[in-house]
Structure formats: C-alpha cells, structure tokens
Amino acid sequence: MKLLKKGAEADIYLTKWNNSNAILKIRKSKEYRNSVLDSKIRKQRTIRESQILSEVKSFGISSPLVYYVNLKKSEIIMQEIPGIPVHDLTESKIVKKSMEIGKLVGIMHQNGIMHGDLTTSNFILYKNKIYVIDFGLSQKTNKPEDHAVDLRLIKEILNSAHAKIMESSWNNFLLGYKSIVGNSQLSKITNLVSSIESRGRYAAVI
Ligand SMILES: Nc1ncnc2c1ncn2[C@@H]1O[C@H](COP(=O)(O)OP(=O)(O)O)[C@@H](O)[C@H]1O
Ligand SMILES: [Mg+2]
C-alpha cells in the first residue's frame, strides 16, 4: 500500500478494492488527547464522514463512493478520485472554478449540511466535475451562523493560500452561492461573516 498523504488528522493510502484503485483513510490517535475521548472522536468523525459522503449524493453533489468502513480502526475505504485538488490548479482555473464551488456549498447548505472544513484541498477536479471530500467535521445544521462559519473559512483560505486571486475568486464564489440560496439568504450569511471577522479583529487588538 502506498502512503499518499500524511495529514494532520489522517493518513491517506492508495489501495485496491475489487481491482479498482481506492483510497484508505485512517484517522490516527493523538497522543495529547485522553485516550477514551480520542477513540470517541475518531469513531465519531469516521461515522460522520462516511454518512455524509453518501448523503450528499442524494442532492447531486459528486463525492467518492464509500466501499468499506471499520469503526474500530477508524478506517474508510473509498473510491479514488484521480483528479487534481483545486488547491493545485492554476490561478486562473481556481478563479473559474470558484463559482462552481460556491454553487456546491450553496447546495450543501440548502440541504442542511455544513461541510466544516472548506479548504481548496477538499475539492477535486476530475473530468471537468468537482468532487467534494473530507466530511469528518461536517454537521447537519440549518443555522445561518454555522453556514457563515463555512464561508468564513473558505474566504480565509482564499486570502492566505491564494492571495493574488482572492478578490476575483471570492466574488465568483459568492455569485455561485447566491445562484443557489438567493439574494436575501446571501446577505444574511455574508453579514454574519462580517460580524465574525470584526469580532476576530477586535479579539486581535485586545
Ligand atoms: N477519495 C479520494 N480520491 C483522491 N484523493 C483523495 C481522496 N481522499 C483524499 N484524497 C487526497 O488526500 C488529501 C487528504 O485527504 P482528506 O480526506 O482531505 O484528509 P485530511 O482530513 O487529512 O485533510 C486530500 O486533500 C486529497 O489530496
Ligand atoms: Mg482535507
């Protein structure tokens, strides 16, 4: 088995499932966490991830198929999406794809799912389609405040990892998001994003 990525939370291996390439995601234990709490968290995130990976398909989001789940080992085996993470695309492509990412996030929110870790590495472009991955921190929620937390994070990621294209990609993201949730919901959520940001600034000053 080939180790593809060593993440902060999980290790990702390339493996086989019925002769197809597959991804094995194993959540590792964290030494600093109490061991009972640690296994609870890993199990919970494994359950959450495998459930939501499947659930989002019902409203048209593309995501890897879940092949196998082992809760004791905090393992998921899923379809490999052999594309390119949006994070690694050229800047002009990221700008272009931001509108579709905004739409996908709008669709998730409209269906009561907060992703919880909206980074450009968690979207994979494959055969001109964008797949969404990494649902371990997702939540079922219709609360505008929770949806605003999602937008705040992706905005922050665009700002830090893709600073040169921040404005155009953020604008495109918002256009896509608006096309799904509508004007008044967009204003509600972006106002909440602004208030999270101003609290952040205030906290940084004192
Ligand atoms: N199903 C998949 N197909 C292809 N690549 C994947 C898949 N799942 C994960 N990866 C790759 O591994 C990286 C880390 O996986 P991810 O599920 O996002 O874990 P983490 O919680 O560590 O961010 C992704 O950014 C992607 O590059
Ligand atoms: Mg990830």
Side-chain angles (χ1 to χ4, degrees):
M1 234 174 9
K2 188 178 161 208
L3 180 68
L4 278 189
K5 297 239 155 90
K6 250 182 140 37
E9 206 212 346
D11 289 341
I12 304 285
Y13 296 89
L14 187 61
T15 182
K16 288 275 179 188
W17 186 261
N18 289 340
N19 292 323
S20 306
N21 280 345
I23 292 287
L24 167 65
K25 179 169 180 174
I26 308 182
R27 290 193 152 77
K28 300 170 293 184
S29 61
K30 302 265 185 180
E31 300 294 318
Y32 59 79
R33 283 201 292 242
N34 165 289
S35 70
V36 176
L37 180 66
D38 180 73
S39 54
K40 224 172 144 177
I41 288 175
R42 284 185 292 138
K43 190 171 166 186
Q44 178 58 51
R45 290 185 182 167
T46 304
I47 294 173
R48 188 68 54 82
E49 175 150 42
S50 54
Q51 277 178 343
I52 306 290
L53 271 171
S54 303
E55 189 173 329
V56 293
K57 290 192 178 66
S58 68
F59 39 83
I61 302 276
S62 301
S63 61
L65 285 165
V66 175
Y67 295 143
Y68 173 82
V69 180
N70 185 330
L71 288 184
K72 276 218 176 87
K73 295 190 187 163
S74 301
E75 285 182 3
I76 301 177
I77 299 180
M78 68 184 102
Q79 180 186 11
E80 185 206 16
I81 309 300
I84 303 177
V86 168
H87 178 275
D88 300 336
L89 297 173
T90 62
E91 293 189 325
S92 68
K93 262 220 153 138
I94 296 177
V95 172
K96 262 192 216 140
K97 292 297 168 191
S98 292
M99 189 175 307
E100 193 179 341
I101 292 174
K103 281 187 191 169
L104 296 174
V105 175
I107 293 170
M108 288 190 270
H109 286 181
Q110 217 169 32
N111 287 280
I113 305 275
M114 169 203 187
H115 182 280
D117 194 14
L118 284 186
T119 70
T120 44
S121 302
N122 288 336
F123 295 91
I124 300 178
L125 178 64
Y126 176 57
K127 291 193 174 167
N128 218 23
K129 223 195 265 176
I130 293 182
Y131 288 73
V132 189
I133 63 165
D134 203 2
F135 285 93
L137 297 176
S138 64
Q139 285 186 46
K140 293 201 180 181
T141 169
N142 283 305
K143 271 169 59 186
E145 290 78 8
D146 291 333
H147 296 182
V149 168
D150 256 357
L151 262 62
R152 160 76 186 141
L153 180 60
I154 185 85
K155 186 180 178 190
E156 185 58 40
I157 296 291
L158 293 173
N159 208 359
S160 54
H162 311 283
K164 276 205 325 228
I165 51 161
M166 154 68 193
E167 254 175 63
S168 42
S169 54
W170 178 239
N171 283 338
N172 278 349
F173 177 95
L174 292 176
L175 280 175
Y177 190 77
K178 182 173 77 174
S179 74
I180 302 293
V181 304
N183 234 331
S184 72
Q185 182 71 3
L186 174 80
S187 315
K188 192 193 263 181
I189 305 295
T190 50
N191 284 337
L192 285 165
V193 170
S194 304
S195 77
I196 298 171
E197 287 172 341
S198 59
R199 258 182 277 151
R201 267 197 292 281
Y202 182 65
V205 171
I206 53 172

